[in-house]
Amino acid sequence: ARQLQHAGADCVMLCANTLHMIANSLEKRIELPLISVVEETAKKTKSHGLKSVGLLGTKYTMEADFYPKAFEEKGVRCILPSKKEINRLHEIILDELTKGIVDKESKKEIMKIVEAFEDRGAEGIVLGCTELPMILQADDTILKLFDTLEIHSEAAVDFALK
């Protein structure tokens, strides 16, 4: 990030959700603005008037507190899968999606998690991993999907155009 700063960059982005575990620490050490996928996603869910969202992502993302804190600050409740579901979703992401494999049975498992989120009051689903849009699309559920890759990209374009 410092090298980017010295090279003349106008901002910094961490282009992976899990890396945002260090975002606050990084932000304190650089002079450039950090465009945070977490902050942008929290703003986006709030702008849609949602009061609760389910979070899907890697085990590291779902077990850390950076997403729940950001949502809480916006008045949005963050619902997480069970420990067993977190571990299974992590396996699907690492063993399948990162290798370009989209398995129908794995999609059914993810849809069960989504249905459980709906039963627990979720009004939207945050795809907190850049690979998740490969397996879960808007027409798969009645809940609003928030694609963090798309949200982060739009924030970068908005920043560049200002």
Side-chain angles (χ1 to χ4, degrees):
R2 286 187 186 126
Q3 288 175 339
L4 292 172
Q5 183 174 321
H6 293 303
D10 294 320
C11 69
V12 173
M13 296 175 66
L14 299 173
C15 296
N17 285 272
T18 302
L19 272 178
H20 281 74
M21 293 186 335
I22 64 156
N24 289 338
S25 175
L26 175 63
E27 202 165 23
K28 292 173 186 172
R29 293 184 169 120
I30 60 174
E31 296 170 18
L32 295 175
L34 173 69
I35 301 175
S36 166
V37 68
V38 176
E39 291 301 319
E40 294 298 327
T41 301
K43 283 194 276 187
K44 183 72 93 172
T45 59
K46 182 64 175 177
S47 74
H48 279 80
L50 294 154
K51 294 187 176 28
S52 63
V53 294
L55 176 63
L56 299 175
T58 65
K59 177 180 181 171
Y60 311 114
T61 295
M62 291 187 289
E63 289 182 346
D65 65 354
F66 56 91
Y67 261 112
K69 278 185 178 180
F71 287 124
E72 184 180 312
E73 289 171 4
K74 301 284 188 247
V76 178
R77 182 172 63 111
C78 182
I79 303 170
L80 299 170
S82 71
K83 183 75 168 163
K84 181 179 176 184
E85 291 167 331
I86 287 172
N87 289 329
R88 179 62 185 129
L89 184 56
H90 187 79
E91 288 174 4
I92 292 169
I93 291 168
L94 293 185
D95 297 341
E96 298 172 22
L97 298 179
T98 61
K99 297 174 183 174
I101 300 166
V102 179
D103 182 79
K104 289 180 184 179
E105 291 305 311
S106 295
K107 182 170 184 163
K108 286 179 186 177
E109 290 180 70
I110 292 172
M111 288 307 302
K112 286 181 183 176
I113 297 170
V114 169
E115 290 167 9
F117 280 153
E118 187 177 0
D119 291 343
R120 294 171 59 199
E123 301 166 303
I125 303 294
V126 173
L127 303 179
C129 176
T130 55
E131 285 82 13
L132 285 170
M134 294 170 58
I135 199 165
L136 191 61
Q137 292 83 38
D139 60 350
D140 291 327
T141 177
I142 61 168
L143 299 177
K144 171 75 175 148
L145 290 186
F146 294 89
D147 178 345
T148 56
L149 177 59
E150 184 178 306
I151 292 167
H152 207 201
S153 299
E154 288 174 359
V157 170
D158 290 345
F159 180 87
L161 294 175
K162 284 183 181 173

